[in-house]
Structure formats: C-alpha cells, structure tokens
Amino acid sequence: MGDMLNRLYVFFTALISTVIVFGGEVMAEQYRSKPWQMGFQEPRSPQAEQGFAFHDMLLWIEGAIVVFVLVIMGYIIIRFNAKSNPVPSKTTHNTLLEVVWTVAPIIILVIIAVPSLKLLYFTDRTPNPEMTIKVVGNQWYWTYVYMDNDGMEFDSIIIPDDELEEGQPRLLSVDNPLVLPVETDIRFILATNDVIHNFAMPALYLKLDTTPGRVNETWTHINDEGDYYGMCSELCGVNHGFMPIHIKAVSKDAYQDWLVEAQEEFAAKDDGSVVDDIVKLAAMNQ
Amino acid sequence: MSDDHHYPGGMRRWLMSTNHKDIGTLYIILSIIAALIGGAMSWYIRLELAEPGIQYIDDFQFYNTLVTAHGFLMVFFVVMPAMIGGFGNWFVPLMIGAPDMAFPRLNNISFWLLAAALVLLIFAGFTGGGTGTGWTVYPPLSAADYHPGWAVDFGILSLHLAGASSILGAANFITTILNMRAPGMTIHRMPLFVWAILVTAFLLLLALPVLAGALTMLLTDRNFGTTFFIAEAGGDPLLWQHLFWFFGHPEVYIIIIPAFGIISEIVSTFSKKPIFGYLGMAYAMSAIGVVGFVVWAHHMFVTGLDVDARAYFTVATMVIAVPTGVKIFSWLATMWGGSIDFKVPMMYAFGFIWLFVLGGVTGITLANAGMDIPFHDTYFVVAHFHYVMAIAAIFAMFAGFFYWIGKMCGRQYNEGLAKLQFWIFFVGVNVLFFPQHFSGMAGMPRRIPDYPDAYVGWNYVSSIGALITMIGTFLFLYIAIRTVTSGEKAEANPWGEGATTLEWSVDSPAPFHTHETMPDMTGKAPAE
C-alpha cells in the first residue's frame, strides 16, 4: 500500500513540477522539501522509513473513514431531503447499531496502537551509540559539540540571503554544517543556553526540544550521503525562523578526513559553560 | 408596575444589565468585534506569507505578537463569548423554561470582566514590546529575561480577568441548569445544547483555576523574584507546559462541546426527527470532558518526556476518538430517514461535520507520539487544529447565529444571501487550510515570518483561501446588519415541526421577560 502511495506521489509531484517551473534548482543530493510537495520528504533513516510506512497505514484507515462519512452524507443529501422524503421516520434507537459504532472504532484504534507504540520505542533511544553529538540551541544559532573528539565545537549560523552562493537554498544554508558519517548510530544530546529551541530534521525523522535545565536524548542513523536541511521547530523569539539546521552526511572515510581538518580549524576549546558540565555529567551517567 | 417587571432603557439597560438576553447580546457583539480584530491579524499574517521573503512585517517581534494575539483573541474573545456567553446566556434559560440565569448580577460582572480583559489584551499586543511568545507563553521566552517589557504582564492580567469571567459564568450556568429547570424536565430530558453548556461549565470550573495558578506563578517569576519556571534557579520550564496544557487541552473541548450542542439542535430540527441516541450523545460529551483532562501531554511529545509517559498519553488520547465517533454517527443517524430542509443553519451543520471529521482523523495521526515527531510544530498541526477546533467552531457559531437570529432580534436573515455566504466561506476555509497539511508534511515549521522557497506554492494557495474567507466574513457582517435593521419579521417558530425545544414556544423576538410561569414539561421531549 505504501509503495503505491509513494509512486502516486512521485508521479504527481513530477507532473506538477514539469508544468510549473519554480525558482531554485534542486540538486541531486539535497534532502529538503520540493515545490508543491504534498507528502513527506524521502525517508533517509530507519526511523523515517518505519514512521512514514506507519503513516501510509494511517492514511488508508483515515481516508476510508472520511470517504465512508462523505458517502453517507451524500446519500443523506440525495435520499433524505424534504422533497424525496416528505415524511420523516421516528426511529431514535438501534442498540445494535450503537454498539457497532462504539466497538468498531475501538478495534481500529487497537490496530493503530500496536505499530504506533513499536515506532515510538524504536525512535526513542539507541542502546549502543557509536558516537555522540551535543547540540546546543542559542538565540539564534546552533552550537555543535563533537563529544568523542575532545569536545571539538563550532557554531552554525544562517547565511543571509545576499551572501548565498550558487546552489545554497535560502533560509536553510549555514556557515558550518553539522558533518556526520552515514551508516552510524549517532546519539544526540540536546541542551540550550537560553530559551527552548527544537532540533528538527524532517528526512531523518528527528525533532526534540532543547529545554533549559534538561538534557534530552535522541538518535539517528543516516542512510544516504548528502545535504539535509531542517529548521528550528519551537518558537524561540524574534529570529526563530532564521536558525536552520544543515547536516552534511558523508562516508565514514570522508568523515575521518574531515575530522582531521576540522580539529585544526575549530581547535578544541573549553569555555567552561554550565551546559557543558551538565551534559558531561549526563553522558557519564548513561 | 412591580419591581421584577421593569424595563430599563439606554445606559441602564446595556451597562447595568441583569437580563440574560441583553447580556447574551452584549457577548455576541463583543465576539464579533474581537473576531474582526483577530481576523484582521490572520489576514495580515497570510498577506505576509503569500510570498517568500519579507514584504510587510519586517519587525519579527511584531509578527510573533500577531500570531500570539490572533490565538488569544480567537480562543478567549471570539469563540468562548459567542458560544457560552452569547448563545448559552440567551438560550439555556429559554430552553429549560427558566425566567433568567440563577445569578443575574454575576452574569453582568462576567461580561464586563471580559470586556476589560479584551482592552488589556490589546495593550499586551501593541505596547511594551509586544507578546511574541505564542499563545502558549512558554517560559523562559515569556520570562523577564527575554520579554522584559510590560506586554506579557498585561497579557497575564488579561487572561486572569478572562478566566475569572469564565469561572463566574460557569458557576452561574451550573447553578441555573441544575436548579432551575421547568417541572418535568429531568436531566435526561434536557435539550443537548443545555447538556453541552453544562459539561462545558464543569470543564471551565476545573481547568481555568489551573491556568490562573500557572499565570500567577509566571507573574511572580517575572516581577517578584520567584523561580518556578527558571531552570538556573531550580525551577522547571516544563512545569509551565504541564500546567498550561492541563488547562489548554480541556480548553479545546470548552470550545468545541458547545458547538456539539448547537449542531445537535440544528440537525434534529431540520431533519424533523428527535436526536438519535440521545443518552449516548449526552454521555459522549461527558466522556469527552472527563477524558479530556488526562491527555494533556500529547501537546508535549517532543519535549523530552519519558517514553513510557508518551506511550500512555498516546493511548489515552486515542480513546477520545470513541465518544467523538459516537457523536458523528449519531448526527448521521439522526439525519438518516429524516425529511431535511437545507436551510442555511443545516448547511453550516453539514459543513461542521465535514470539517470536524477531517480535523478529527488528522487528530488520530497526531495522537501517536511516534508519528508526532515529523508533524510537531509544523503547519500540519496548524491545519489540524484550525479544522477541528477553530473553523469547526466558527461554523457552529454561524449555524447558531442563523438558527437563532430570528428569535434574538425578531427579524429573519435573507436565505439566498446567507447561502451564498456559506458557500464562499466553505470554499474559503478549505482552500485556506487544506494545503497547510501539505506544507506541514513537507516540514514547514509554524510561527515563522518567512519560509524556504519550496513552500511558496501551497502558501500562496493558502493566502488566496484567506482572501476568500475575508470576503465571506464581510458578507456575513452585511447580512447580520441587514437582518437586524431590515430583515423580514420572524415568526415564533420559523422552522416548523422539527423545532421542538422551548425557545420556539415564545414570541420572536423573545420578550424581555420570558417563562414567568414555568412550563410543565412532564412527559415531553427529548426522545427518552
């Protein structure tokens, strides 16, 4: 079922985008929304694959409910208007019917709940992370800390519209993307220096608040190399719309090469912030 | 002329009113004024979002303030006053055969507290830096460090007053409904609209004090050095979210349950049939009210809540689909076999059911904590709650307005114009909100003044929908004014045999004093 939906969707968007040519070229390796997109972005992590498949199931069930109600409403409009049916019936009870329309939804909900809870527990945490990234929200940029590389850290700030280079999407591009290896179980530890932000990446099925006084944890496993784009997803003040998230996923080898270069560039620093200490403590307690 | 028959005029009538009908009218007028302000804000927002880049609102704090004020206005000053204060005040006493509300002076202060709250809210929006916090007012963004101006304090005071107003109103409704029903009208014979207001009043009574407490804590955090929500000093921002949503989730039922009541009356009247499964309907509303108190954290699925808690809130939230289904199917079964007059109130009832079913199924999607991850804080959520709560409630209000306007002002609306208005509004809101499902699935976050270029298409469509909705709104205003000033004279019962509730037994417009002798309802409707 999911396959068919996907194919329909790909066909439909292809059709539309050939009819309507929109500004901004779509590069092969950029994972972000496309013009007139009607569904999810392509899944690029196991969580996204499982989640979007679950959503396909929901869509069929909910679509059937909506169509069912619409058909009944249509029938009522045609058959039971004052002209076609001048004498109203007096029926006000039907115990069997009432039991059915109470029990049937319960059965449907149980059918939904089982895969739903499976998905929930799967997306929660990874038991064996291969690496850990600390993400710190700031008004209005992100700080990424490579916990396994002497706490190497750097800030990731939006590129203003007038400084964009060819191929860089507007409002999504940053000066220093978060570089991550593919095919690796990555643990994210989330913290904030000021208000609540939210670290979100649609194609990877990531979204979690950074809350003052707390350290939140989630994980991902990136399937494909490429550029991933997301945006802060909790209202965090004046420039909430302008702190995008850009993840650059590279092969494991390329990641090691990048680490060597990056460590020179962002020479490890320790500014002794409170958040750092909290996060280290939490990581030790895992 | 004895004391209980005086007919005050002018200022005394409108400022010092203790008459449930006049106070109801005041509430409806306040609601329409607030709707125009809140609507203007949303049209301005959609104007900015019609194209990528920044065109009109280059002050993003102001943009956030618009988003916040739009939410507050529509929830506290449009939907609640119209449905509970307006229609509730007007028709609960009429429907139960009571001469007035139990506490007429309390009724007066309820209204004027709300009017004062509206003024404070306008202050909060346009002075002291504005309230760029969203209607959820999450600290620390709403704390003194990040919103140092007085705007948030004014917002808090405004909500305090609005809350006090609602609590007094709720006490009044509960007392009236429990004690002042006509002889023979047992609890199980009350019209469903009265049931709806009773359930809503209990929700108000239980939920609003929690909001008041949380607001007070935020106020002292901001001004008197307490640290309930300040993490650096041992407080917890998540505590606010729990308290806010413990109020906030019942609040959405406070908005939609009176709508259930209005729709039930209209469906029954125009199908010329008693409501199908009356007891099931009444207790479905009650069940929604009760379960609505134990599902609040489904608004907090991505705050880092423990996974087992998220599993509980997923399952509990889904349970609400069951009584909601009972309501939808009972409406359909009431219409089934009926002899339906498609007058405008009935068309709006059909529209309501469509919007509510569509917003309801996306609610099932969002109830799943695992599924909420890609949807949370995107336009999908915006589409969902506008369908299921906001626009559905507006449809119920329009339905109620056209259903009862003859009774309220003695003049009937123009059927042809009102039909046109329905179709414009129906097309408008669907063009406005349906594409937001797509933007949301594609990942567009809420509450942003500009968006990546990929979201251009659906946002443009959405803004066209807003324009159509605006035309529908002004047409409604025209119809309303025309009806009140020069509509045709309304009969006591313009709807015929289907209209069986007591408000149709009195003249149109309803006289200043009604039911001075309580009618005997022994053995009479509804169906049980």
Side-chain angles (χ1 to χ4, degrees):
Chain A
M1 286 196 303
D3 245 29
M4 201 179 99
L5 263 185
N6 260 343
R7 257 178 281 144
L8 260 177
Y9 159 67
V10 169
F11 171 75
F12 196 66
T13 41
L15 191 73
I16 286 179
S17 36
T18 47
V19 176
I20 301 153
V21 183
F22 243 81
E25 64 276 52
V26 179
M27 297 175 71
E29 290 175 352
Q30 287 190 351
Y31 303 122
R32 59 190 172 97
S33 322
K34 298 176 175 57
W36 296 103
Q37 179 168 331
M38 297 176 75
F40 289 118
Q41 299 176 28
E42 295 267 313
R44 301 288 166 189
S45 71
Q47 292 96 321
E49 282 164 5
Q50 202 173 318
F52 295 167
F54 174 60
H55 188 262
D56 285 342
M57 179 189 117
L58 283 177
L59 212 54
W60 281 107
I61 294 174
E62 291 166 6
I65 294 171
V66 171
V67 169
F68 178 64
V69 173
L70 268 184
V71 166
I72 295 180
M73 281 169 75
Y75 186 80
I76 288 171
I77 291 172
I78 295 164
R79 178 68 189 78
F80 298 115
N81 64 61
K83 265 192 203 133
S84 325
N85 193 37
V87 183
S89 88
K90 291 290 163 207
T91 315
T92 58
H93 289 285
N94 186 323
T95 310
L96 179 68
L97 200 56
E98 291 180 58
V99 170
V100 168
W101 72 44
T102 311
V103 173
I106 294 175
I107 295 170
I108 294 173
L109 290 178
V110 172
I111 292 171
I112 292 175
V114 174
S116 168
L117 294 179
K118 241 173 85 180
L119 172 68
L120 171 63
Y121 281 86
F122 176 63
T123 56
D124 184 41
R125 285 175 190 198
T126 174
N128 301 305
E130 293 166 71
M131 60 180 282
T132 303
I133 298 287
K134 184 178 88 177
V135 176
V136 184
N138 308 276
Q139 278 182 328
W140 289 273
Y141 60 93
W142 298 94
T143 303
Y144 300 120
V145 185
Y146 288 70
M147 303 291 279
D148 309 303
N149 305 91
D150 307 321
M152 173 182 81
E153 70 169 79
F154 56 83
D155 296 336
S156 183
I157 300 169
I158 189 172
I159 300 176
D161 288 5
D162 49 7
E163 291 168 29
L164 287 173
E165 282 165 30
E166 184 73 22
Q168 286 184 323
R170 199 176 71 86
L171 296 181
L172 295 173
S173 301
V174 296
D175 56 355
N176 299 311
L178 172 61
V179 179
L180 294 173
V182 294
E183 302 295 341
T184 308
D185 285 355
I186 304 164
R187 171 169 63 182
F188 290 102
I189 298 243
L190 300 157
T192 176
N193 275 327
D194 37 57
V195 301
I196 303 171
H197 302 271
N198 186 300
F199 182 72
M201 186 55 65
L204 299 179
Y205 216 77
L206 278 175
K207 189 174 286 158
L208 196 59
D209 280 354
T210 66
T211 308
R214 279 166 195 264
V215 175
N216 285 337
E217 179 183 333
T218 186
W219 72 289
T220 195
H221 178 105
I222 307 172
N223 290 344
D224 305 285
E225 292 175 34
D227 290 294
Y228 295 81
Y229 296 96
M231 299 167 81
C232 177
S233 292
E234 179 62 53
L235 180 59
C236 58
V238 176
N239 287 326
H240 162 55
F242 306 91
M243 50 181 293
I245 298 141
H246 176 187
I247 293 177
K248 194 178 183 61
V250 297
S251 70
K252 286 184 175 179
D253 289 341
Y255 177 68
Q256 291 305 333
D257 296 343
W258 175 82
L259 270 181
V260 176
E261 284 173 35
Q263 260 162 334
E264 282 172 25
E265 193 184 337
F266 304 113
K269 59 175 183 186
D270 183 6
D271 60 3
S273 79
V274 180
V275 173
D276 275 342
D277 297 340
I278 297 172
V279 170
K280 273 174 198 150
L281 211 64
M284 269 161 30
N285 288 341
Q286 288 299 317
Chain B
M1 195 184 270
S2 68
D3 252 350
D4 51 338
H5 278 85
H6 63 179
Y7 295 84
M11 291 266 285
R12 270 174 66 82
R13 175 171 178 188
W14 295 108
L15 290 183
M16 299 153 73
S17 180
T18 52
N19 182 298
H20 72 103
K21 302 182 188 80
D22 285 353
I23 293 174
T25 304
L26 287 172
Y27 267 112
I28 290 173
I29 293 170
L30 179 124
S31 165
I32 291 175
I33 293 170
L36 290 177
I37 305 172
M41 287 174 172
S42 65
W43 298 322
Y44 197 29
I45 292 169
R46 285 287 3 143
L47 186 65
E48 173 57 56
L49 293 178
E51 293 170 46
I54 299 299
Q55 283 85 32
Y56 304 97
I57 310 176
D58 49 6
D59 176 354
F60 300 147
Q61 173 69 9
F62 181 63
Y63 180 87
N64 292 346
T65 302
L66 283 180
V67 170
T68 310
H70 168 73
F72 277 137
L73 278 166
M74 292 307 197
V75 169
F76 288 94
F77 299 93
V78 176
V79 178
M80 288 170 69
M83 296 231 235
I84 307 166
F87 297 138
N89 251 312
W90 252 100
F91 294 105
V92 163
L94 280 179
M95 282 177 159
I96 63 174
D100 205 308
M101 295 287 284
F103 307 117
R105 287 191 174 79
L106 210 60
N107 209 3
N108 176 290
I109 190 91
S110 293
F111 173 77
W112 287 108
L113 282 177
L114 194 70
L118 180 57
V119 175
L120 284 180
L121 190 75
I122 305 287
F123 278 160
F126 296 103
T127 65
T131 326
T133 58
W135 87 292
T136 47
V137 208
Y138 282 180
L141 184 60
S142 60
D145 284 352
Y146 301 98
H147 266 86
W150 65 53
V152 175
D153 299 305
F154 267 125
I156 291 171
L157 292 176
S158 166
L159 291 193
H160 262 141
L161 288 192
S165 154
S166 294
I167 291 169
L168 296 179
N172 210 345
F173 277 116
I174 292 171
T175 314
T176 308
I177 295 170
L178 292 185
N179 294 300
M180 294 172 62
R181 297 190 309 276
M185 184 182 279
T186 59
I187 282 272
H188 285 170
R189 288 179 192 278
M190 298 192 310
L192 281 176
F193 178 67
V194 181
W195 259 104
I197 294 291
L198 182 65
V199 172
T200 306
F202 273 106
L203 294 186
L204 284 167
L205 199 67
L206 296 172
L208 279 166
V210 178
L211 175 70
L215 286 170
T216 309
M217 289 154 80
L218 188 60
L219 195 67
T220 59
D221 268 17
R222 288 177 53 83
N223 297 290
F224 306 119
T226 59
T227 55
F228 293 109
F229 308 123
I230 311 293
E232 298 90 303
D236 187 355
L238 266 198
L239 173 63
W240 166 269
Q241 297 185 23
H242 281 292
L243 292 173
F244 180 85
W245 287 114
F246 187 84
F247 144 80
H249 198 71
E251 173 67 29
V252 307
Y253 296 117
I254 288 166
I255 284 172
I256 208 64
I257 287 178
F260 290 165
I262 295 172
I263 298 302
S264 297
E265 298 300 335
I266 289 172
V267 163
S268 163
T269 296
F270 290 92
S271 306
K272 305 194 191 81
K273 275 181 70 193
I275 203 81
F276 188 98
Y278 168 85
L279 276 185
M281 288 290 251
Y283 285 98
M285 279 193 280
S286 312
I288 291 171
V290 171
V291 183
F293 272 105
V294 291
V295 298
W296 73 89
H298 65 218
H299 297 271
M300 302 162 57
F301 278 152
V302 299
T303 55
L305 215 58
D306 181 78
V307 68
D308 296 328
R310 278 180 283 158
Y312 158 74
F313 281 107
T314 296
V315 175
T317 303
M318 286 203 213
V319 169
I320 293 183
V322 177
T324 310
V326 168
K327 297 211 67 76
I328 301 271
F329 292 125
S330 296
W331 285 322
L332 294 177
T334 305
M335 296 191 271
W336 194 273
S339 175
I340 302 172
D341 274 331
F342 282 96
K343 297 270 169 48
V344 174
M346 190 59 171
M347 291 167 72
Y348 266 111
F350 262 85
F352 172 90
I353 295 174
W354 156 251
L355 295 172
F356 190 71
V357 167
L358 214 124
V361 293
T362 54
I364 296 176
T365 302
L366 293 170
N368 299 284
M371 199 65 240
D372 186 56
I373 295 169
F375 285 130
H376 188 94
D377 217 68
T378 66
Y379 262 80
F380 190 89
V381 176
V382 176
H384 159 71
F385 71 73
H386 277 96
Y387 261 94
V388 80
M389 179 185 98
I391 295 304
I394 298 285
F395 266 50
M397 283 155 56
F398 279 149
F401 183 88
F402 289 119
Y403 183 52
W404 281 316
I405 186 66
K407 185 58 59 188
M408 292 190 287
C409 77
R411 293 175 186 277
Q412 202 63 325
Y413 63 90
N414 180 310
E415 191 73 34
L417 267 184
K419 278 202 168 116
L420 178 69
Q421 194 267 344
F422 166 82
W423 283 112
I424 293 175
F425 209 79
F426 184 77
V427 170
V429 294
N430 282 290
V431 173
L432 169 51
F433 291 112
F434 204 85
Q436 296 184 357
H437 290 112
F438 306 142
S439 323
M441 278 182 90
M444 180 177 166
R446 299 165 65 178
R447 296 166 166 174
I448 53 174
D450 190 8
Y451 45 79
D453 301 339
Y455 303 120
V456 170
W458 293 123
N459 271 288
Y460 191 68
V461 174
S462 205
S463 290
I464 291 173
L467 185 66
I468 302 173
T469 309
M470 186 171 84
I471 295 168
T473 308
F474 285 115
L475 183 56
F476 169 76
L477 267 189
Y478 172 72
I479 295 170
I481 292 169
R482 211 180 109 133
T483 304
V484 175
T485 53
S486 61
E488 276 176 44
K489 198 102 188 59
E491 300 159 46
N493 175 6
W495 310 126
E497 54 174 315
T500 55
T501 38
L502 275 175
E503 77 269 31
W504 306 113
S505 68
V506 302
D507 284 344
S508 294
F512 202 62
H513 297 294
T514 41
H515 296 319
E516 288 169 76
T517 313
M518 283 188 144
D520 186 2
M521 296 301 287
T522 313
K524 288 188 184 158
E528 294 305 303

